[in-house]
Amino acid sequence: MNINDARESGIDFLVKRDDLRICRSGEGESLDGADLQPGQVQLRIEKFALTANNITYAVFGDRMGYWNFFPAEAGWGRVPVWGFGRVVHSLSDRIAIGERFYGFYPASSHLTVEAGATGAGFVDLTAHRRALPDVYNQYARTSTDVAYDEDHENVQMILRPLFMTSFLLADFLQDNNFFGSRLAILSSASSKTAYGTAFLLSRMPRHPEVIGLTSPRNASFTESLGCYDRVVTYDQINSLPKDLPAVYVDMAGSGAARASVHQLFGGNLKHSATVGVTHWDEEALNVQLPGPAPSFFFAPSQVQKRTADWGPGGVNERFAEAWKAFRGPAAAWMDVREERGPDAVKRVYLDHLEGRADPRTGNVLSLVQGL
Ligand SMILES: NC(=O)c1ccc[n+]([C@@H]2O[C@H](COP(=O)([O-])OP(=O)(O)OC[C@H]3O[C@@H](n4cnc5c(N)ncnc54)[C@H](OP(=O)(O)O)[C@@H]3O)[C@@H](O)[C@H]2O)c1
């Protein structure tokens, strides 16, 4: 009753927790299913996406608990990713071998979970995950998931987890009447999360001018996305019209860029939202800045607020509508690159860590041999 794997053990991609530049592959779970306990299921992680967001999980691994999802040997971490897994062993009476699930996996070839039932899939009840946020513990069965579309699964894997934040962020700004701003300034404008946010903002009635801040090497790509009214490089922040009320939406987390925006706009900065740290090695120091104190954008709070406003299902319905409008245009420019094996995973991880990755590329990876 199992699908044969060529190897006896799976593969884990491991990152040194106190120096993210050091990484290697290591021996993963055993694959014969002999260790499985009743209720447990082993999934072969067929493919997963890797973007700067996964680097942020590693950067915040200790501070925000991302290393706790998939424990590794002491001093090392397994980077969480979004992807698709197929059941290869099952001691659950609700989950069959061969079924496929979308969800939060480690960058590994295999994962064993303790599958508790939900309507549309399962929730991992493994003891060390119970204290972690629910949203990361749920797995959707592709055969019944209304959001799943076989022809677009790579795009789903790469963009959907990011676009949910884009959707909630754009909605948060609109819900607050854009804080009375005439300018919405997004850093790391070339990132997929910023692009999704700009895409939605640019379609909203009476939206502020949408300004993308980016690095010189990503400026022409960012302009080509067509949803920023203006693209400005980090070294040109002082050219922005400082007399207009502005909101700063910070995906970069760069201390220098944030200080420049706050110092330029001062009291005209109406809100400063921290969303990401793509520029993780230039992370902001805790310095006193003019204007409002930067506040972390916590997406679940906006979900909670909108569930109260719109009723159960309201967020999902609106998100589905936004996603349908977004995925076509996004897929049109994205160059999806599928690669396999430990060397490819290491290279793509390091390219993202060091800021060398091409923003036009959507990376899809696998550590499973011989699929
Ligand atoms: N809080 C949340 O709920 C949430 C949810 C989703 C995403 N996010 C955050 O949003 C950010 C964007 O994620 P993404 O997956 O959309 O990114 P992505 O598409 O992979 O972003 C690529 C861009 O990020 C910048 N970048 C990436 N690595 C860099 C490095 N090492 N040094 C300098 N710049 C680098 C570059 O943009 P520029 O040249 O334009 O700066 C690059 O073109 C991440 O920090 C992520 O964690 C937060």
Side-chain angles (χ1 to χ4, degrees), residues 50-57 60 66 136 158-159 161-166 187-195 213-219 221-222 234 250-253 274-282 296-300 333 350-361:
L50 201 144
T51 71
N53 188 39
N54 306 98
I55 304 298
T56 304
Y57 291 153
F60 287 145
Y66 285 105
Y136 296 116
I158 296 163
L159 290 179
L162 307 174
F163 190 63
M164 180 50 102
T165 293
S166 307
S187 67
S188 268
S190 65
S191 71
K192 296 168 182 73
T193 309
Y195 164 64
L213 293 185
T214 187
S215 318
R217 76 182 189 99
N218 293 326
F221 166 73
T222 307
Y234 294 114
D250 188 11
M251 316 277 169
T274 303
V275 185
V277 286
T278 56
H279 295 231
W280 61 277
D281 52 355
E282 303 163 18
F296 185 71
F297 174 69
F298 189 58
W333 61 256
L350 288 173
D351 281 352
H352 280 83
L353 189 73
E354 303 294 2
R356 294 188 294 256
D358 181 350
R360 187 182 291 280
T361 304

Side-chain angles (χ1 to χ4, degrees), residues 27-325:
E27 192 171 299
E29 299 184 354
S30 64
L31 302 184
D32 57 12
D35 301 335
L36 243 58
Q37 301 297 314
Q40 285 190 327
V41 162
Q42 189 182 51
L43 296 119
R44 184 172 63 201
I45 303 159
E46 292 184 337
K47 45 164 103 166
F48 57 86
L50 201 144
T51 71
N53 188 39
N54 306 98
I55 304 298
T56 304
Y57 291 153
V59 172
F60 287 145
D62 285 315
R63 273 181 276 171
M64 291 179 71
Y66 285 105
W67 293 136
N68 299 339
F69 283 93
F70 309 110
E73 58 193 88
W76 296 82
R78 292 161 80 192
V79 179
V81 292
W82 293 90
F84 290 93
R86 189 181 295 279
V87 177
V88 287
H89 296 288
S90 176
L91 291 186
S92 160
D93 48 13
R94 300 190 202 95
I95 306 226
I97 288 172
E99 286 198 286
R100 216 156 165 262
F101 292 89
Y102 170 71
F104 203 57
Y105 291 98
S108 292
S109 65
H110 291 76
L111 175 70
T112 293
V113 298
E114 191 176 324
T118 66
F122 68 84
V123 58
D124 185 4
L125 299 177
T126 303
H128 68 261
R129 286 181 73 165
R130 288 190 189 183
L132 299 166
D134 278 354
V135 60
Y136 296 116
N137 292 338
Q138 289 169 15
Y139 293 79
R141 184 181 264 115
T142 55
S143 58
T144 54
D145 180 5
V146 287
Y148 176 71
D149 174 354
E150 192 178 351
D151 295 336
H152 295 100
E153 68 174 21
N154 286 340
V155 171
Q156 169 180 340
M157 208 170 25
I158 296 163
L159 290 179
R160 257 188 81 119
L162 307 174
F163 190 63
M164 180 50 102
T165 293
S166 307
F167 169 77
L168 293 167
L169 188 52
D171 177 63
F172 165 77
L173 295 174
Q174 188 182 42
D175 196 20
N176 285 285
N177 201 19
F178 307 107
F179 295 91
S181 296
R182 299 264 308 277
L183 311 175
I185 305 165
L186 278 62
S187 67
S188 268
S190 65
S191 71
K192 296 168 182 73
T193 309
Y195 164 64
T197 310
F199 175 89
L200 292 169
L201 288 175
S202 67
R203 295 157 67 101
M204 286 173 170
R206 293 179 300 284
H207 62 82
E209 182 181 352
V210 184
I211 296 179
L213 293 185
T214 187
S215 318
R217 76 182 189 99
N218 293 326
S220 58
F221 166 73
T222 307
E223 273 161 7
S224 75
L225 292 169
C227 53
Y228 292 101
D229 296 303
R230 198 188 316 196
V231 172
V232 172
T233 53
Y234 294 114
D235 54 354
Q236 294 172 339
I237 288 173
N238 283 337
S239 70
L240 292 173
K242 63 180 182 185
D243 297 328
L244 295 180
V247 57
Y248 185 42
V249 180
D250 188 11
M251 316 277 169
S254 154
R258 180 183 295 169
S260 299
V261 170
H262 276 252
Q263 277 155 7
L264 183 70
F265 285 92
N268 278 335
L269 193 64
K270 300 303 177 193
H271 186 75
S272 178
T274 303
V275 185
V277 286
T278 56
H279 295 231
W280 61 277
D281 52 355
E282 303 163 18
E283 215 184 326
L285 297 172
N286 230 352
V287 288
Q288 205 59 36
L289 293 171
S295 58
F296 185 71
F297 174 69
F298 189 58
S301 303
Q302 189 64 9
V303 174
Q304 204 173 11
K305 173 170 193 286
R306 284 315 207 179
T307 304
D309 292 349
W310 296 336
V315 170
N316 283 345
E317 266 167 42
R318 286 165 175 83
F319 174 75
E321 209 173 292
W323 170 247
K324 266 189 230 154

